């Protein structure tokens, strides 16, 4: 340290001899040099070998004895402000602006009492403005904006009574504008833009009598505009845009006769626009847009003769434009009235504003036809009439507007074709005619407008081919022809639009194959061709389009491999749904690290899901359904943590449902249906708390439905039908309060239908438990499902009566309770359902089945038939026994008779005859019939008595 002090002492002596004893600032300057980073070498000539007044950026007094100015603006310096700077007490001007200085403003700056100009803007200074700045009594210019300064504006600023310019814009200052600002009577410019200042604009602002520029835009100021501003007679610029100012526009502002720039956009001002503002004859720019102003327009360019820009967009103005709005000698160049409530036909008054360059009447309620005299506005560059109700055709005179660059007519009801005169507009850059009712073909003459960068004809009725000369538009960036009736192939010349970035030809009737010339559109980022009839394989040269981000070729007839579409590593979305693509999924797609949507459903793709897809960490939507894909779901997909839709249905995938699916916390839709998955549903799926749809139907899944299914509290759709699930429905399903579709049919589920299902009151689409083994009664709680439209409990083993509570299901339009063991009365509200809804139950009655009393009678009748059958069988058996007995008796008698006849040949006949009369054998065959008849009558009487 001693050596260091000795060095500077010797150096001071040398400088005193070489430069004069009065230049003591040299030591401080050399220390300043040593503390600053100077990559450009601006301070290289700061050396004792040269006279101090010749050093870069320094200004000396007339006698060259003192440093009075230091200007190192834009020198690329960095580091903090050296403290030695404050030892230059003679300095009057300090300019370190436009550098990269950091750190705070030191309070030692108060030592620079001679300072008149302090310029530190556009650095990276931070911290608060030190209150000591208020001690610089001679300061006239203070510009320290465009830094990282924070905190409030110190009230001591009000002590700088000589201040002419105060620049604090583009910082992070907060708090309110100090009332002491009114002490600055000589202030000419006050710039507070782009901070976070709040509170009211102080009435004391009127004390700044010489103020010419007051800019406080992009803050959070509130309250009304103080009427005291009207006393600032010298004010030329008043910019209070993008605050939260409210109330009406003070009429006293009309007294600011020197005002040239008035900007109140982006506030909450309301009420009418004062007609007194017509007195601001010096006004050049008036912007009152994005407020809540209402009433009619009373401002006239006939009085505001210097007005060049009138911006009243985004208000609630009504009526039409005044008839005397414009004169031939008007200077008005910009008239922006968009997004109001203006009405009437196209304002012909505007056609007198011959100097007009920009006309924006968009988003109003203007109607009628566009006037042929539009070409009066011969200097017009921008004609913006979109989102009105203009009708009629596009006048051919528009071709005379030779300066026209932007034509926006979308969102109207314009009919007819595009006039061929449009080809005369050699400066035309954008033409947006979408959402109209235009028809006819796209004229070839349009391709003469060689400066065109944007064409948007979406949603019209254009027909015919795309002009073959479309390739003339070398500067074309956007070509949007979607939703028309265009036909034919894509012209090969389109490939020569080498600047093209977005191509949308979807929803037309285009045919043919893609031209090989597409390889020349190297800047193409978006291409949508869906809903056409394109066919054939893709040109292999598409692989050369390295800037592609979005591809949608869905709903066409493309075939072959999709490999040509995998050349760009910038892809974010691919949709090839519903084509005839075949082959495998290119693993190269895994190099598209920003790919978020991959939809390849309804094709003929084969092979497996590439394991490399695990590298697609931005993937949000993966749809591979309805293909012929095989294999297991690769575990690498577990790295795709952002996936929300995972759709693999209708393929030939096998294996088990992977447990790692539970780690996909963003998963909202999971569809593995109609595959060959087996095993159980992993309990880990219960971790997918954002899951809205779970479809696993049509597999061979078995075992019980896991209780963790109840953790899916956001679930809307649960479809597990056509599997081999067993056991009961877990009671935890009651926690899935947002379910509106539940399908569990065609399984082997057993037990009771859970009473808790009645708590799923959002069920609407269907509750399907059919073709299971459920037993017991239908729970009455199902009557709480008042939104339910379809209920299927058929083909189970349900018993008991249909609960009366089900009658509350008034939204039901499909009901199936057939093939169960239900009985009793069907609720009357179900009488309108078909008979098939209730068939093959045991004892169910009531409409649409037979009435319950009639049904009981039928049951009695069925019982009598059974009794009759039993009695008949008993009688037949009894009769058989009797016949056998009689036969036995007859045989015995015959045997006796034979003995008698053999032993007594004489007189035996008479004896036989007497024996016959004794026994009455002649009636023996009749009596059993008579007894049968009597018994039958008795049985009939017994039956009726039953």
């Amino acid at each position: 340290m001693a050596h260091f002090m000795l060095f500077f002492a010797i150096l001071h002596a040398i400088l005193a001899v070489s430069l004069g004893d009065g230049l003591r600032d040299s030591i401080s300057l050399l220390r300043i040099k040593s503390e600053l980073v100077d990559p450009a070498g601006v301070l290289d000539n700061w050396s004792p070998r040269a006279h101090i007044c010749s050093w870069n950026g320094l200004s000396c007094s007339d006698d060259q004895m003192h440093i009075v100015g230091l200007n190192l603006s834009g020198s690329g310096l960095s580091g903090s402000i050296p403290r030695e700077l404050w030892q230059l007490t003679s300095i009057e001007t300090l300019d370190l602006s436009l550098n990269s200085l950091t750190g705070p403003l030191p309070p030692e700056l108060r030592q620079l009492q001679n300072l008149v100009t302090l310029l530190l803007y556009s650095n990276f200074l931070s911290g608060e403005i030190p209150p000591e700045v208020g001690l610089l009594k001679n300061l006239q210019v203070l510009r320290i904006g465009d830094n990282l300064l924070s905190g409030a504006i110190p009230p001591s600023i009000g002590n700088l009574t000589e201040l002419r310019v105060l620049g604090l814009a583009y910082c992070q200052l907060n708090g309110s504008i100090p009332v002491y600002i009114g002490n600055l009577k000589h202030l000419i410019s006050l710039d507070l833009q782009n901070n976070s200042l709040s509170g009211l604009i102080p009435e004391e602002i009127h004390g700044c009598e010489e103020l010419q520029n007051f800019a406080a835009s992009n803050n959070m100021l509130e309250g009304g505009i103080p009427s005291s501003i009207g006393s600032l007679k010298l004010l030329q610029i008043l910019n209070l845009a993008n605050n939260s100012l409210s109330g009406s526009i003070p009429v006293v502002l009309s007294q600011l006769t020197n005002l040239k720039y008035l900007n109140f956009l982006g506030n909450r001002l309301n009420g009418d626009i004062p007609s007194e503002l017509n007195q601001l004859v010096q006004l050049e720019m008036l912007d009152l847009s994005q407020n809540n102003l209402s009433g009619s327009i009373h401002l006239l360019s006939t009085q505001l003769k210097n007005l060049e820009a009138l911006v009243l967009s985004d208000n609630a103005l009504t009526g039409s434009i005044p008839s005397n709005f414009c004169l031939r000698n008007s200077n008005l160049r910009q008239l922006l009235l968009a997004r109001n409530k203006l009405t009437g036909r196209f304002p012909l008054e505007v056609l007198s504003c011959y100097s007009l360059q920009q006309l924006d009447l968009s988003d109003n309620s203007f109607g009628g036809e566009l006037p042929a005299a539009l070409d009066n506005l011969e200097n017009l560059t921008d004609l913006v009439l979109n989102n009105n109700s203009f009708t009629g055709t596009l006048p051919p005179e528009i071709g005379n507007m030779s300066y026209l660059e932007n034509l926006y007519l979308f969102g109207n009801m314009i009919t007819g074709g595009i006039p061929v005169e449009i080809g005369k507009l050699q400066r035309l850059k954008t033409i947006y005619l979408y959402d109209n009712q235009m028809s006819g073909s796209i004229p070839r003459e349009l391709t003469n407008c060689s400066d065109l960068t944007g064409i948007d004809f979406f949603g019209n009725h254009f027909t015919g081919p795309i002009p073959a000369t479309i390739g003339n538009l070398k500067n074309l960036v956007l070509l949007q022809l979607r939703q028309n009736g265009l036909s034919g192939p894509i012209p090969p010349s389109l490939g020569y639009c080498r600047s093209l970035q977005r191509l949308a030809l979807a929803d037309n009737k285009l045919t043919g194959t893609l031209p090989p010339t597409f390889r020349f559109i190297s800047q193409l980022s978006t291409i949508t061709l869906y809903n056409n009839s394109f066919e054939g394989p893709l040109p292999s040269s598409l692989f050369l389009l390295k800037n592609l981000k979005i591809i949608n070729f869905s709903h066409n007839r493309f075939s072959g491999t999709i490999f040509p579409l995998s050349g760009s590593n910038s892809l974010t979305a691919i949709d090839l749904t519903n084509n005839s693509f075949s082959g495998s999924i290119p693993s190269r797609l895994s190099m598209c690290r920003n790919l978020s949507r991959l939809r390849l459903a309804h094709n003929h793709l084969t092979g497996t899901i590439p394991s490399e897809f695990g590298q697609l960490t931005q993937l949000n939507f993966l749809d591979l359904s309805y293909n012929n894909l095989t294999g297991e779901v690769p575990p690498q997909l577990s790295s795709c943590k952002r996936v929300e839709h995972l759709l693999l249905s209708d393929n030939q995938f096998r294996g088990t449902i992977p447990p790692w699916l539970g780690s996909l916390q963003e998963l909202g839709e999971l569809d593995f249906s109609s595959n060959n998955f087996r095993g159980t549903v992993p309990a880990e799926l219960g971790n997918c708390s954002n899951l809205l749809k779970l479809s696993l139907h049509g597999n061979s899944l078995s075992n019980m439905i896991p209780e963790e299914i109840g953790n899916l509290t956001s679930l809307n759709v649960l479809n597990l039908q056509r599997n081999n699930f067993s056991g009961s429905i877990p009671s935890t399903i009651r926690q899935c309060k947002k379910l509106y579709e539940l399908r569990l049919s065609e399984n082997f589920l057993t037990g009771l239908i859970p009473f808790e299902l009645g708590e799923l009151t959002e069920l609407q689409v269907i509750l399907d438990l059919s073709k299971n083994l459920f037993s017991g009664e239908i729970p009455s709680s199902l009557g709480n499902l008042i939104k339910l439209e379809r209920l299927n409990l058929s083909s189970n083993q349900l018993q008991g009566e249909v609960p009366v509570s089900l009658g509350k299901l008034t939204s039901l339009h499909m009901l199936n309770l057939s093939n169960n063991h239900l009985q009793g009365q069907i609720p009357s509200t179900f009488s309108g359902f078909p008979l098939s809804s209730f068939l093959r139950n045991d004892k169910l009655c009531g409409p649409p089945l037979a009435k319950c009393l009639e049904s009981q009678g039928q049951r009695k009748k069925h019982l009598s038939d059974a009794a009759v059958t039993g009695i008949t069988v008993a009688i037949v058996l009894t009769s058989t026994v009797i016949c056998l007995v009689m036969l036995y008796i007859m045989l015995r008698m015959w045997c006796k008779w034979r003995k008698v006849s053999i032993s007594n040949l004489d007189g035996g006949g008479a004896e036989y005859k007497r024996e016959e009369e004794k026994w009455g054998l002649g009636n023996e065959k009749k009596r059993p019939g008579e007894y049968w008849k009597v018994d039958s009558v008795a049985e009939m009487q017994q039956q009726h008595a039953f």
Side-chain angles (χ1 to χ4, degrees):
M1 186 67 179
H3 294 294
F4 180 76
M5 296 300 296
L6 178 62
F7 167 76
F8 275 104
I10 296 171
L11 183 60
H12 185 275
I14 295 172
L15 289 171
V17 173
S18 62
L19 302 177
D21 190 53
L23 298 178
R24 295 168 304 196
D25 297 334
S26 57
I27 297 295
S28 298
L29 289 168
L30 289 173
R31 287 177 175 170
I32 291 170
K33 175 184 176 181
S34 67
E35 294 185 21
L36 291 174
V37 179
D38 178 22
V42 175
L43 307 180
D44 284 354
N45 75 333
W46 285 25
S47 169
R49 297 186 184 89
H51 193 283
I52 193 170
C53 292
S54 67
W55 292 4
N56 284 340
L58 293 182
S59 300
C60 294
S61 60
D62 292 340
D63 58 6
Q64 296 194 346
M65 294 297 292
H66 303 287
I67 302 298
V68 295
L70 176 57
N71 184 352
L72 296 175
S73 177
S75 298
L77 303 175
S78 60
S80 59
I81 298 176
R83 293 186 177 275
E84 289 76 12
L85 190 62
W86 315 123
Q87 298 177 15
L88 305 177
T89 55
S90 300
I91 200 167
E92 298 175 3
T93 299
L94 176 58
D95 188 355
L96 299 178
S97 62
L98 300 165
N99 282 290
S100 299
L101 300 175
T102 57
L105 276 175
E108 289 83 357
L109 61 79
R110 66 178 180 273
Q111 300 174 23
L112 305 182
Q113 288 297 309
N114 293 309
L115 202 59
V116 175
T117 301
L118 177 57
L119 305 176
L120 300 176
Y121 62 88
S122 298
N123 280 284
F124 297 98
L125 301 173
S126 58
E128 298 186 356
I129 301 173
E132 288 80 1
V133 74
L135 299 176
L136 303 176
K137 300 293 186 180
N138 294 308
L139 201 61
Q140 296 183 16
V141 177
L142 175 60
R143 295 183 61 192
I144 56 176
D146 194 15
N147 278 288
L148 304 176
L149 299 171
S150 57
I153 301 173
S156 60
I157 287 284
N159 299 329
L160 304 178
T161 55
E162 298 299 319
L163 204 60
R164 302 289 194 274
V165 177
L166 177 58
L168 303 177
Y170 294 94
C171 288
Q172 300 172 11
L173 302 174
N174 53 39
S176 59
I177 302 173
V179 295
Y180 304 102
I181 208 82
N183 297 341
L184 308 182
K185 299 185 182 300
H186 301 295
L187 196 64
I188 295 174
S189 176
L190 175 59
D191 192 353
L192 306 177
Q193 299 179 93
N194 291 84
N195 281 286
S196 297
L197 299 173
S198 57
L200 307 176
I201 300 174
E203 289 281 353
E204 289 79 0
I205 192 79
H206 69 85
C208 304
E209 299 171 354
E210 300 180 13
L211 196 62
Q212 297 179 20
N213 173 21
F214 178 29
S217 62
N218 297 296
N219 281 284
M220 297 184 289
L221 300 172
E222 55 191 9
I225 299 172
S227 57
S228 60
I229 289 182
S231 64
L232 302 176
K233 304 298 185 184
L234 301 179
L235 200 62
Q236 297 181 22
I237 297 174
L238 178 56
N239 186 358
L240 302 178
N242 293 320
N243 281 284
S244 296
L245 300 172
S246 57
S248 59
I249 299 174
V251 176
V252 294
L253 294 185
S254 61
Q255 301 173 17
L256 304 177
T257 53
N258 289 299
L259 202 62
K260 295 182 178 180
Y261 181 98
L262 178 58
N263 191 346
F264 289 163
L265 85 87
N267 281 283
R268 301 174 184 172
L269 301 173
N270 52 39
D272 291 356
I273 301 173
S275 58
E276 289 82 356
L277 295 185
N278 284 313
Q279 300 173 25
L280 302 177
V281 294
Q282 300 297 321
L283 201 61
E284 297 176 2
M285 203 289 288
L286 174 60
D287 191 342
L288 305 179
S289 60
Q290 297 180 35
N291 280 282
N292 298 315
L293 300 171
S294 56
S296 301
I297 298 174
H298 300 293
L299 300 173
L300 306 173
S301 68
T302 54
Q303 294 177 263
L304 302 174
K305 295 183 178 180
N306 292 301
L307 193 65
E308 296 182 2
L310 177 59
V311 185
L312 304 178
S313 304
D314 295 284
N315 280 288
L317 300 173
T318 56
S320 57
I321 296 176
S323 57
N324 56 343
F325 178 76
C326 224
L327 293 178
R328 182 179 293 272
N329 60 352
S330 168
N331 288 315
L332 194 64
R333 289 172 171 78
Q334 189 179 52
L335 177 60
L336 309 181
L337 305 177
R339 292 172 294 281
N340 278 285
K341 299 178 180 179
L342 300 172
T343 56
R345 302 176 70 84
F346 184 93
L348 299 178
E349 297 77 15
V350 171
L351 300 180
S352 300
C353 302
Y354 296 112
S355 299
L356 207 59
Q357 296 177 357
Q358 293 178 310
L359 175 61
D360 188 353
L361 305 179
S362 63
D363 293 276
N364 280 284
S365 298
F366 290 114
E369 297 186 2
L370 297 177
L374 265 176
D375 58 348
N376 286 357
L377 304 176
E378 56 186 17
N379 295 303
L380 204 65
T381 60
D382 297 276
L383 179 57
V384 185
L385 305 178
N386 54 277
N387 295 326
N388 279 284
S389 299
F390 290 117
T391 58
T393 60
L394 191 59
E397 288 81 1
I398 203 166
N400 299 327
M401 304 173 73
S402 56
Y403 287 96
L404 196 63
E405 297 180 1
N406 300 299
L407 177 59
Y408 296 158
L409 297 176
F410 60 88
N412 282 286
M413 295 181 284
I414 297 173
T415 57
I418 301 173
V420 295
E421 288 82 359
I422 204 84
K424 296 161 60 177
L425 302 178
Q426 294 298 303
R427 300 189 183 188
L428 194 64
K429 290 182 171 59
T430 56
I431 177 170
Y432 288 175
L433 304 178
Y434 62 86
D435 283 332
N436 276 286
Q437 300 173 20
M438 302 185 73
S439 57
S441 61
I442 299 174
R444 181 191 59 80
E445 288 78 4
L446 180 65
T447 64
N448 295 335
C449 304
S450 55
D451 282 348
L452 268 173
T453 61
I455 297 176
D456 194 339
F457 295 166
F458 164 82
N460 280 282
H461 306 292
F462 291 117
T463 56
I466 299 171
T469 53
I470 193 75
N472 294 345
L473 304 178
K474 308 296 184 186
N475 298 307
L476 198 62
V477 174
L478 166 67
L479 179 58
Q480 169 63 274
L481 302 178
R482 183 187 155 213
Q483 212 173 96
N484 280 282
L486 300 173
S487 57
I490 297 176
S493 71
L494 183 61
Y496 303 119
C497 299
R498 295 175 185 260
S499 298
L500 195 63
Q501 296 179 19
R502 289 180 290 165
L503 174 62
L505 304 179
D507 295 310
N508 279 286
K509 300 175 182 178
L510 298 170
T511 56
T513 59
L514 298 188
T517 53
F518 264 34
R519 67 183 183 275
F520 300 126
I521 316 176
S522 59
Q523 301 302 312
L524 194 64
S525 65
T526 300
I527 177 170
T528 57
L529 306 178
Y530 57 89
N531 289 337
N532 279 287
S533 297
F534 293 116
E535 59 187 4
L538 302 175
S540 59
S541 58
L542 292 182
F543 189 85
L544 301 175
L545 302 180
K546 301 298 184 181
N547 291 300
L548 276 176
K549 293 182 178 179
I550 298 174
I551 301 173
N552 193 338
F553 288 2
S554 63
H555 302 282
N556 279 284
R557 302 172 187 169
F558 288 115
S559 59
T561 177
I562 66 176
F563 185 79
L565 299 178
S566 64
S568 171
N569 294 342
S570 302
L571 285 168
T572 61
I574 306 176
D575 191 345
L576 307 180
T577 304
N578 200 13
N579 279 280
S580 296
F581 288 114
S582 58
S584 59
I585 301 173
S587 60
R588 196 186 183 285
L589 289 174
S590 63
M591 300 178 68
C592 307
R593 298 303 166 81
N594 292 315
L595 189 64
S596 63
R597 298 174 69 86
L598 178 59
R599 307 191 65 175
L600 306 178
H602 293 274
N603 281 285
H604 306 300
L605 300 174
T606 55
T608 60
I609 300 175
S611 59
E612 293 86 350
F613 276 15
Q615 301 172 29
L616 300 175
T617 56
Q618 303 299 313
L619 197 62
N620 173 271
F621 203 123
L622 178 61
D623 186 359
L624 306 179
S625 56
Y626 294 93
N627 279 285
N628 297 314
L629 299 171
T630 56
E632 298 187 1
V633 181
Q636 290 82 359
L637 288 185
S638 62
S639 300
C640 303
K641 300 299 185 185
R642 296 191 177 185
V643 71
E644 295 181 16
H645 305 269
L646 183 54
L647 312 179
L648 305 181
S649 69
D650 293 271
N651 280 282
Q652 299 175 30
F653 291 115
R654 55 183 171 78
T656 59
I657 307 291
W660 53 257
L661 288 171
S663 67
L664 304 181
Q665 296 297 304
E666 302 298 320
L667 197 61
E669 182 179 11
L670 178 63
D671 191 347
F672 281 13
S673 60
S674 299
N675 279 285
N676 298 316
F677 290 109
R678 54 181 174 74
T680 62
V681 176
E684 288 82 356
L685 272 184
N687 298 328
C688 301
S689 57
N690 291 311
L691 200 60
L692 300 177
K693 180 179 179 181
L694 176 59
S695 295
L696 303 177
H697 60 276
N699 284 285
S700 299
L701 300 172
S702 58
N703 215 323
M704 299 180 69
I705 300 172
E707 291 187 357
E708 288 78 5
I709 208 81
N711 297 337
L712 305 178
T713 54
S714 298
L715 203 61
N716 296 151
V717 176
L718 177 60
N719 190 343
L720 304 179
Q721 63 187 17
R722 296 199 306 277
N723 278 285
N724 298 318
F725 290 112
S726 58
S728 59
I729 299 175
S731 60
T732 54
I733 202 167
R734 70 194 304 172
Q735 298 165 205
C736 303
K737 302 290 188 184
K738 297 181 180 179
L739 269 178
Y740 65 80
E741 180 176 342
L742 177 58
R743 299 175 186 263
L744 303 178
S745 64
E746 298 183 61
N747 282 285
F748 298 97
L749 298 171
T750 58
L752 303 177
I753 296 176
F755 189 85
E756 290 83 0
L757 287 183
E759 300 179 24
L760 305 179
T761 54
E762 293 300 316
L763 274 176
Q764 179 177 347
V765 176
I766 192 170
L767 171 59
D768 189 354
L769 306 180
S770 63
K771 297 183 180 178
N772 279 284
L773 302 173
F774 291 115
S775 57
E777 297 185 350
I778 299 174
S780 61
S781 62
L782 296 189
N784 298 329
L785 310 179
I786 57 175
K787 297 181 180 179
L788 195 62
E789 297 175 355
R790 292 184 290 171
L791 175 62
N792 192 348
L793 304 179
S794 66
S795 300
N796 280 284
Q797 299 175 13
L798 300 174
Q799 302 171 354
E801 297 186 352
V802 179
V804 177
S805 61
L806 295 191
K808 296 186 294 184
L809 304 182
T810 54
S811 299
L812 214 59
H813 59 74
M814 192 284 282
L815 174 67
N816 193 348
L817 303 179
S818 64
N819 291 291
N820 280 286
H821 304 298
L822 300 172
Q823 63 182 14
Q825 176 82 38
I826 297 174
S828 59
T829 52
F830 291 165
S831 60
F833 287 103
L835 190 67
S836 58
S837 297
F838 308 100
L839 287 178
R840 290 179 290 280
N841 280 282
D842 290 347
K843 301 176 182 179
L844 208 55
C845 62
L849 300 178
K851 294 182 180 180
C852 288
L853 289 178
E854 181 180 328
S855 176
Q856 290 173 5
Q858 288 175 350
R859 289 200 299 272
K860 289 179 181 179
K861 184 176 180 181
H862 293 324
L863 180 62
S864 298
D865 290 344
V868 168
T869 302
I871 292 170
T872 302
V873 171
I875 291 175
V876 169
L877 290 174
T878 303
S879 298
T880 302
V881 171
I882 292 173
C883 288
L884 289 173
V885 170
M886 291 182 68
L887 180 60
Y888 172 75
I889 293 171
M890 289 176 65
L891 287 173
R892 290 289 302 269
M893 290 176 66
W894 180 78
C895 290
K896 289 180 179 180
W897 173 78
R898 185 171 179 81
K899 288 179 180 180
V900 171
S901 61
I902 292 174
S903 59
N904 299 303
L905 293 174
D906 296 327
E911 186 175 344
Y912 170 74
K913 189 174 183 181
R914 286 194 298 270
E915 184 69 19
E916 188 178 49
E917 289 174 353
K918 178 181 178 181
W919 290 99
L921 295 178
N923 296 328
E924 188 176 3
K925 293 182 178 179
K926 181 179 180 182
R927 290 176 63 192
E930 290 174 351
Y931 285 125
W932 176 268
K933 192 172 184 180
V934 171
D935 290 344
S936 297
V937 172
E939 289 294 337
M940 289 296 291
Q941 291 173 345
Q942 184 180 12
Q943 176 183 334
H944 289 298
F946 221 123

